C-alpha cells in the first residue's frame, strides 16, 4: 500500500506559530485549565510550554492564553477567544490536508 506523509504548521516570517505539538498543548490547556499539567501531559517542561505560548503570541500578534496566578482560590489558565479561533483554523487546515492525502492515496493505489 502506498501512503502519503506530510507535516503541517503555520508560520509568519519563517517562524512557527502553530504546529501539531503546539496544537496539542493548547488543547490540553483548554481541558485541564493548567499550563503545568498540560506540559506534563504532552511531555515537555513547564518552561518550554511557557516559551511556546510566548512565541506563539508574539508571532500571531494576539493573546492566546490567559492565566490567573494562584492564591486563595487557586490559579489557572484558559484559551482566549483568539486562541480558540487559532485552534479551529488550524483544525480546518489539517482536515484539508487529510482530504488531499486520502485522495492522493486512492489515486496512487489504483492497480
Amino acid at each position: 500500500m502506498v501512503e502519503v506523509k506530510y507535516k503541517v504548521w503555520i508560520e509568519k516570517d519563517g517562524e512557527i506559530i502553530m504546529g501539531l505539538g503546539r496544537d496539542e498543548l493548547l488543547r490540553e490547556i483548554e481541558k485541564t485549565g493548567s499550563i503545568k499539567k498540560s506540559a506534563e501531559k504532552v511531555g515537555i517542561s513547564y518552561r518550554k510550554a511557557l516559551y511556546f505560548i510566548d512565541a506563539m503570541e508574539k508571532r500571531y500578534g494576539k493573546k492566546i492564553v490567559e492565566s490567573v496566578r494562584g492564591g486563595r482560590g487557586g490559579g489557572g489558565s484558559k484559551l482566549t477567544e483568539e486562541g480558540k479561533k487559532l485552534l479551529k483554523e488550524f483544525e480546518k487546515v489539517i482536515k484539508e490536508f487529510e482530504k488531499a492525502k486520502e485522495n492522493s492515496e486512492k489515486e496512487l493505489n489504483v492497480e
Side-chain angles (χ1 to χ4, degrees):
M1 182 171 102
V2 176
E3 191 174 5
V4 174
K5 299 282 188 174
Y6 67 93
K7 238 180 162 180
V8 179
W9 61 91
I10 298 171
E11 288 185 359
K12 181 178 180 187
D13 301 325
E15 300 284 339
I16 296 173
I17 295 173
M18 177 70 92
L20 293 174
R22 294 167 195 226
D23 174 83
E24 185 181 10
L25 176 64
L26 293 182
R27 289 184 189 285
E28 285 300 322
I29 290 170
E30 190 68 2
K31 277 189 223 170
T32 65
S34 167
I35 295 171
K36 185 177 181 191
K37 287 178 187 173
S38 299
E40 289 171 3
K41 179 92 176 181
V42 300
I44 61 173
S45 69
Y46 175 70
R47 186 175 179 167
K48 190 168 190 174
L50 290 177
Y51 167 77
F52 282 161
I53 293 165
D54 183 59
M56 284 188 285
E57 290 178 340
K58 284 180 180 170
R59 294 167 189 163
Y60 192 52
K62 298 174 183 172
K63 192 85 172 139
I64 295 172
V65 176
E66 204 162 59
S67 296
V68 177
R69 290 207 182 262
R72 193 172 259 189
S77 298
K78 65 179 183 173
L79 299 186
T80 63
E81 287 305 313
E82 287 298 329
K84 291 176 186 177
K85 180 180 169 188
L86 180 59
L87 274 180
K88 284 181 186 172
E89 290 304 314
F90 189 67
E91 188 176 329
K92 285 181 191 175
V93 170
I94 294 296
K95 284 181 181 177
E96 289 300 315
F97 271 84
E98 277 297 317
K99 283 182 201 171
K101 174 188 183 301
E102 289 170 13
N103 290 337
S104 294
E105 288 173 344
K106 285 177 189 171
E107 292 296 320
L108 290 168
N109 285 318
V110 173
E111 293 181 28

